[in-house]
Amino acid sequence: MTEAEAEQLRGELHALREALANATSDRERYRALYMQLLERCRLLERGIVVGQKAERDRGGEETQLSMQLLGMMLSPDEAEAAAEDDGLDDALSDALDEADGPGDDAGDTGRGDTCAPRRPRRGRRKLPEALPRVEIEILPPEVLQEGLSSFRRIGEVVSEVVERRPASLVVARIVRPKFARRDDAAETVEEHLSEETPEVPAVVIASPPERPIERGLAGPGLLAHTIVQRWQDHMPSNRQEGIYAREGLVLSRQTICSWHQQLADLVEPLVEAMLADAFRSPYLCVDATGVLVQASEQCQRAHFWVLVAPGRHVLYRFSHKHDSEAVDRLLAGYEGYLVADAHSVYDHLYARGGLVEVGCWAHCRRYFYKTLGTEPELARHALGLIRKLFKVEEKLADEARKKRESVRSRFRRRSSTPSSHGATSRPRSPSTARRWPRR
């Protein structure tokens, strides 16, 4: 073999190695793309929106069967997870029955547990009995012409429709008459008026009624209505302005805002009492969202904080900055468990030792969701375990507080806690063995 042939073979070998490396790289890239598309097909089969905010499973019971069938075709682990979910439902139902106690079956009609569940009643709902009734009697034309004396009443047909009385504004004229004693002559009354003192009044008059806003135009009912419309019904003041204009009252949005500002100072003691009561809760949930605030030159970014004591209070605070000082003002004096995101503004609170950090499963789940394209098997396993935790809380959401606590104490030790520890029972690849970053 000549030197030229050997050089040619070396060149061909180098080209083949480059082609193999490129093919291997393309294979891995197409494999990752294939897994992403496969997972998207799985999500679409389950009825989940793909894209932004696509992490929530919106599939109902109708999609559960197709989800399980697709899982059995794709991997045996999914079929096993579906079977575990069925066992989870049975265990949760047993725990709910145990929480009801034997006394809850006193009103049982004798139907066995093997009976099919009662279907929800369809059709028009019965109107609430608390609504006032107004009877409108409609007589036939023959009765109106000949009179009731020519007929005898043998029955009636009753139907009900819901009507609405339009809301109306009322001007309350507060009249406070002045009185003077009868034995005082007119001249004596004039003299008494010139010599009147707070201890000995010459004219007797009732004290003015107390108002939420001193010398204000609006009464308590109107003020409460504007507050409910703005914060409960999410109706801004400009829309309220138009509504009151249609009712014949010219009321500017600036006036409504000034009312609410004065009422905020009035209810501040109540808010502080709610905050003190919230701090007695075993745990609190805190989060912040950015908002734009008008300024002279350009809008500035500020933040609204929400503090939730589950089942008791929801409180809000405003701060110009999203920093540790704002957190200190919000949680001053609180010690306990804190459910918050992994932002660094909370780190100094945990370092002090008064607060215990409680992670959010929704935030933790997001990291596993993002790894579906690279580590689909491990990610699906973790998402399945988290789904069990969510399923437990979903079943208990509509139950009474005492019943929820009873079921959790019996059931979560048996099902939820093993599920959370089950995430560490499977072998992990080196890429997933590292700790998840805080941000």
Side-chain angles (χ1 to χ4, degrees), residues 389-407:
L389 294 173
F390 286 1
K391 197 167 189 177
V392 172
E393 298 301 329
E394 181 182 0
K395 290 286 187 181
L396 299 178
D398 297 331
E399 301 293 341
R401 181 180 60 85
K402 293 184 178 180
K403 189 173 183 180
R404 290 200 306 265
E405 294 176 355
S406 176
V407 173

PDB file of all heavy atoms in Angstrom, residues 389-407:
ATOM      1  N   LEU A 389     -51.057  13.309  46.029  1.00  0.00           N
ATOM      2  CA  LEU A 389     -51.221  14.290  47.095  1.00  0.00           C
ATOM      3  C   LEU A 389     -52.325  15.289  46.756  1.00  0.00           C
ATOM      4  O   LEU A 389     -53.161  15.632  47.596  1.00  0.00           O
ATOM      5  CB  LEU A 389     -49.898  15.029  47.325  1.00  0.00           C
ATOM      6  CG  LEU A 389     -48.739  14.194  47.867  1.00  0.00           C
ATOM      7  CD1 LEU A 389     -47.465  15.034  47.879  1.00  0.00           C
ATOM      8  CD2 LEU A 389     -49.037  13.680  49.254  1.00  0.00           C
ATOM      9  N   PHE A 390     -52.330  15.751  45.510  1.00  0.00           N
ATOM     10  CA  PHE A 390     -53.354  16.707  45.096  1.00  0.00           C
ATOM     11  C   PHE A 390     -54.741  16.065  45.134  1.00  0.00           C
ATOM     12  O   PHE A 390     -55.738  16.729  45.436  1.00  0.00           O
ATOM     13  CB  PHE A 390     -53.061  17.213  43.688  1.00  0.00           C
ATOM     14  CG  PHE A 390     -51.914  18.186  43.616  1.00  0.00           C
ATOM     15  CD1 PHE A 390     -51.205  18.545  44.755  1.00  0.00           C
ATOM     16  CD2 PHE A 390     -51.533  18.747  42.411  1.00  0.00           C
ATOM     17  CE1 PHE A 390     -50.156  19.430  44.701  1.00  0.00           C
ATOM     18  CE2 PHE A 390     -50.487  19.647  42.357  1.00  0.00           C
ATOM     19  CZ  PHE A 390     -49.798  19.994  43.495  1.00  0.00           C
ATOM     20  N   LYS A 391     -54.795  14.780  44.822  1.00  0.00           N
ATOM     21  CA  LYS A 391     -56.097  14.111  44.795  1.00  0.00           C
ATOM     22  C   LYS A 391     -56.686  14.018  46.193  1.00  0.00           C
ATOM     23  O   LYS A 391     -57.911  14.166  46.385  1.00  0.00           O
ATOM     24  CB  LYS A 391     -55.936  12.725  44.185  1.00  0.00           C
ATOM     25  CG  LYS A 391     -57.235  12.101  43.723  1.00  0.00           C
ATOM     26  CD  LYS A 391     -56.979  10.890  42.857  1.00  0.00           C
ATOM     27  CE  LYS A 391     -58.275  10.396  42.228  1.00  0.00           C
ATOM     28  NZ  LYS A 391     -58.036   9.252  41.312  1.00  0.00           N
ATOM     29  N   VAL A 392     -55.837  13.773  47.171  1.00  0.00           N
ATOM     30  CA  VAL A 392     -56.313  13.721  48.551  1.00  0.00           C
ATOM     31  C   VAL A 392     -56.925  15.064  48.952  1.00  0.00           C
ATOM     32  O   VAL A 392     -58.028  15.139  49.505  1.00  0.00           O
ATOM     33  CB  VAL A 392     -55.167  13.328  49.496  1.00  0.00           C
ATOM     34  CG1 VAL A 392     -55.587  13.462  50.947  1.00  0.00           C
ATOM     35  CG2 VAL A 392     -54.707  11.910  49.212  1.00  0.00           C
ATOM     36  N   GLU A 393     -56.206  16.159  48.675  1.00  0.00           N
ATOM     37  CA  GLU A 393     -56.703  17.482  49.049  1.00  0.00           C
ATOM     38  C   GLU A 393     -57.942  17.865  48.257  1.00  0.00           C
ATOM     39  O   GLU A 393     -58.827  18.556  48.765  1.00  0.00           O
ATOM     40  CB  GLU A 393     -55.600  18.527  48.846  1.00  0.00           C
ATOM     41  CG  GLU A 393     -54.372  18.300  49.708  1.00  0.00           C
ATOM     42  CD  GLU A 393     -54.699  18.301  51.189  1.00  0.00           C
ATOM     43  OE1 GLU A 393     -55.644  19.018  51.584  1.00  0.00           O
ATOM     44  OE2 GLU A 393     -54.019  17.595  51.948  1.00  0.00           O
ATOM     45  N   GLU A 394     -58.018  17.415  47.004  1.00  0.00           N
ATOM     46  CA  GLU A 394     -59.203  17.722  46.199  1.00  0.00           C
ATOM     47  C   GLU A 394     -60.438  17.032  46.767  1.00  0.00           C
ATOM     48  O   GLU A 394     -61.532  17.601  46.794  1.00  0.00           O
ATOM     49  CB  GLU A 394     -58.965  17.294  44.758  1.00  0.00           C
ATOM     50  CG  GLU A 394     -60.126  17.599  43.813  1.00  0.00           C
ATOM     51  CD  GLU A 394     -59.876  17.123  42.402  1.00  0.00           C
ATOM     52  OE1 GLU A 394     -58.791  16.549  42.151  1.00  0.00           O
ATOM     53  OE2 GLU A 394     -60.752  17.308  41.547  1.00  0.00           O
ATOM     54  N   LYS A 395     -60.284  15.795  47.229  1.00  0.00           N
ATOM     55  CA  LYS A 395     -61.415  15.080  47.810  1.00  0.00           C
ATOM     56  C   LYS A 395     -61.882  15.721  49.112  1.00  0.00           C
ATOM     57  O   LYS A 395     -63.074  15.682  49.440  1.00  0.00           O
ATOM     58  CB  LYS A 395     -61.013  13.628  48.078  1.00  0.00           C
ATOM     59  CG  LYS A 395     -60.828  12.792  46.813  1.00  0.00           C
ATOM     60  CD  LYS A 395     -62.161  12.447  46.180  1.00  0.00           C
ATOM     61  CE  LYS A 395     -61.977  11.489  45.023  1.00  0.00           C
ATOM     62  NZ  LYS A 395     -63.277  11.158  44.379  1.00  0.00           N
ATOM     63  N   LEU A 396     -60.951  16.318  49.856  1.00  0.00           N
ATOM     64  CA  LEU A 396     -61.299  16.886  51.157  1.00  0.00           C
ATOM     65  C   LEU A 396     -61.669  18.359  51.082  1.00  0.00           C
ATOM     66  O   LEU A 396     -61.982  18.956  52.109  1.00  0.00           O
ATOM     67  CB  LEU A 396     -60.113  16.725  52.119  1.00  0.00           C
ATOM     68  CG  LEU A 396     -59.672  15.288  52.414  1.00  0.00           C
ATOM     69  CD1 LEU A 396     -58.457  15.303  53.329  1.00  0.00           C
ATOM     70  CD2 LEU A 396     -60.794  14.493  53.038  1.00  0.00           C
ATOM     71  N   ALA A 397     -61.640  18.941  49.894  1.00  0.00           N
ATOM     72  CA  ALA A 397     -61.829  20.390  49.793  1.00  0.00           C
ATOM     73  C   ALA A 397     -63.199  20.836  50.273  1.00  0.00           C
ATOM     74  O   ALA A 397     -63.337  21.885  50.913  1.00  0.00           O
ATOM     75  CB  ALA A 397     -61.598  20.841  48.347  1.00  0.00           C
ATOM     76  N   ASP A 398     -64.247  20.063  49.982  1.00  0.00           N
ATOM     77  CA  ASP A 398     -65.613  20.472  50.304  1.00  0.00           C
ATOM     78  C   ASP A 398     -66.105  19.921  51.637  1.00  0.00           C
ATOM     79  O   ASP A 398     -67.271  20.123  51.995  1.00  0.00           O
ATOM     80  CB  ASP A 398     -66.573  20.021  49.194  1.00  0.00           C
ATOM     81  CG  ASP A 398     -66.260  20.675  47.863  1.00  0.00           C
ATOM     82  OD1 ASP A 398     -65.732  21.808  47.889  1.00  0.00           O
ATOM     83  OD2 ASP A 398     -66.535  20.065  46.810  1.00  0.00           O
ATOM     84  N   GLU A 399     -65.256  19.235  52.371  1.00  0.00           N
ATOM     85  CA  GLU A 399     -65.668  18.681  53.645  1.00  0.00           C
ATOM     86  C   GLU A 399     -65.537  19.729  54.760  1.00  0.00           C
ATOM     87  O   GLU A 399     -64.866  20.746  54.599  1.00  0.00           O
ATOM     88  CB  GLU A 399     -64.817  17.452  54.002  1.00  0.00           C
ATOM     89  CG  GLU A 399     -64.900  16.328  52.967  1.00  0.00           C
ATOM     90  CD  GLU A 399     -66.273  15.698  52.905  1.00  0.00           C
ATOM     91  OE1 GLU A 399     -67.038  15.855  53.875  1.00  0.00           O
ATOM     92  OE2 GLU A 399     -66.584  15.037  51.881  1.00  0.00           O
ATOM     93  N   ALA A 400     -66.183  19.464  55.878  1.00  0.00           N
ATOM     94  CA  ALA A 400     -66.083  20.367  57.025  1.00  0.00           C
ATOM     95  C   ALA A 400     -64.667  20.328  57.598  1.00  0.00           C
ATOM     96  O   ALA A 400     -63.913  19.370  57.397  1.00  0.00           O
ATOM     97  CB  ALA A 400     -67.094  19.966  58.095  1.00  0.00           C
ATOM     98  N   ARG A 401     -64.305  21.399  58.299  1.00  0.00           N
ATOM     99  CA  ARG A 401     -62.933  21.524  58.781  1.00  0.00           C
ATOM    100  C   ARG A 401     -62.572  20.377  59.724  1.00  0.00           C
ATOM    101  O   ARG A 401     -61.496  19.769  59.602  1.00  0.00           O
ATOM    102  CB  ARG A 401     -62.754  22.868  59.500  1.00  0.00           C
ATOM    103  CG  ARG A 401     -61.341  23.094  60.028  1.00  0.00           C
ATOM    104  CD  ARG A 401     -61.255  24.440  60.708  1.00  0.00           C
ATOM    105  NE  ARG A 401     -62.172  24.530  61.831  1.00  0.00           N
ATOM    106  CZ  ARG A 401     -61.901  24.102  63.060  1.00  0.00           C
ATOM    107  NH1 ARG A 401     -60.732  23.531  63.313  1.00  0.00           N
ATOM    108  NH2 ARG A 401     -62.777  24.233  64.033  1.00  0.00           N
ATOM    109  N   LYS A 402     -63.445  20.055  60.666  1.00  0.00           N
ATOM    110  CA  LYS A 402     -63.136  18.982  61.604  1.00  0.00           C
ATOM    111  C   LYS A 402     -63.036  17.641  60.898  1.00  0.00           C
ATOM    112  O   LYS A 402     -62.191  16.809  61.243  1.00  0.00           O
ATOM    113  CB  LYS A 402     -64.202  18.929  62.696  1.00  0.00           C
ATOM    114  CG  LYS A 402     -64.200  20.145  63.623  1.00  0.00           C
ATOM    115  CD  LYS A 402     -65.221  19.984  64.737  1.00  0.00           C
ATOM    116  CE  LYS A 402     -65.188  21.181  65.692  1.00  0.00           C
ATOM    117  NZ  LYS A 402     -66.183  21.029  66.782  1.00  0.00           N
ATOM    118  N   LYS A 403     -63.875  17.447  59.906  1.00  0.00           N
ATOM    119  CA  LYS A 403     -63.814  16.191  59.172  1.00  0.00           C
ATOM    120  C   LYS A 403     -62.535  16.113  58.349  1.00  0.00           C
ATOM    121  O   LYS A 403     -61.926  15.041  58.229  1.00  0.00           O
ATOM    122  CB  LYS A 403     -65.045  16.071  58.273  1.00  0.00           C
ATOM    123  CG  LYS A 403     -65.181  14.700  57.622  1.00  0.00           C
ATOM    124  CD  LYS A 403     -66.497  14.592  56.886  1.00  0.00           C
ATOM    125  CE  LYS A 403     -66.673  13.206  56.288  1.00  0.00           C
ATOM    126  NZ  LYS A 403     -67.964  13.083  55.572  1.00  0.00           N
ATOM    127  N   ARG A 404     -62.108  17.237  57.758  1.00  0.00           N
ATOM    128  CA  ARG A 404     -60.849  17.236  57.004  1.00  0.00           C
ATOM    129  C   ARG A 404     -59.687  16.882  57.908  1.00  0.00           C
ATOM    130  O   ARG A 404     -58.816  16.086  57.539  1.00  0.00           O
ATOM    131  CB  ARG A 404     -60.620  18.607  56.367  1.00  0.00           C
ATOM    132  CG  ARG A 404     -61.560  18.950  55.237  1.00  0.00           C
ATOM    133  CD  ARG A 404     -60.988  20.052  54.368  1.00  0.00           C
ATOM    134  NE  ARG A 404     -60.616  21.227  55.135  1.00  0.00           N
ATOM    135  CZ  ARG A 404     -61.389  22.280  55.321  1.00  0.00           C
ATOM    136  NH1 ARG A 404     -62.602  22.288  54.801  1.00  0.00           N
ATOM    137  NH2 ARG A 404     -60.987  23.322  56.018  1.00  0.00           N
ATOM    138  N   GLU A 405     -59.662  17.473  59.104  1.00  0.00           N
ATOM    139  CA  GLU A 405     -58.563  17.184  60.014  1.00  0.00           C
ATOM    140  C   GLU A 405     -58.577  15.721  60.442  1.00  0.00           C
ATOM    141  O   GLU A 405     -57.520  15.087  60.551  1.00  0.00           O
ATOM    142  CB  GLU A 405     -58.657  18.099  61.233  1.00  0.00           C
ATOM    143  CG  GLU A 405     -58.442  19.575  60.912  1.00  0.00           C
ATOM    144  CD  GLU A 405     -58.647  20.460  62.123  1.00  0.00           C
ATOM    145  OE1 GLU A 405     -59.053  19.926  63.177  1.00  0.00           O
ATOM    146  OE2 GLU A 405     -58.407  21.679  62.016  1.00  0.00           O
ATOM    147  N   SER A 406     -59.767  15.175  60.666  1.00  0.00           N
ATOM    148  CA  SER A 406     -59.852  13.781  61.077  1.00  0.00           C
ATOM    149  C   SER A 406     -59.382  12.845  59.967  1.00  0.00           C
ATOM    150  O   SER A 406     -58.631  11.889  60.216  1.00  0.00           O
ATOM    151  CB  SER A 406     -61.299  13.450  61.477  1.00  0.00           C
ATOM    152  OG  SER A 406     -61.441  12.089  61.782  1.00  0.00           O
ATOM    153  N   VAL A 407     -59.829  13.113  58.752  1.00  0.00           N
ATOM    154  CA  VAL A 407     -59.439  12.248  57.638  1.00  0.00           C
ATOM    155  C   VAL A 407     -57.946  12.364  57.371  1.00  0.00           C
ATOM    156  O   VAL A 407     -57.266  11.371  57.097  1.00  0.00           O
ATOM    157  CB  VAL A 407     -60.258  12.602  56.383  1.00  0.00           C
ATOM    158  CG1 VAL A 407     -59.747  11.845  55.165  1.00  0.00           C
ATOM    159  CG2 VAL A 407     -61.723  12.279  56.615  1.00  0.00           C
TER     160      VAL A 407
END
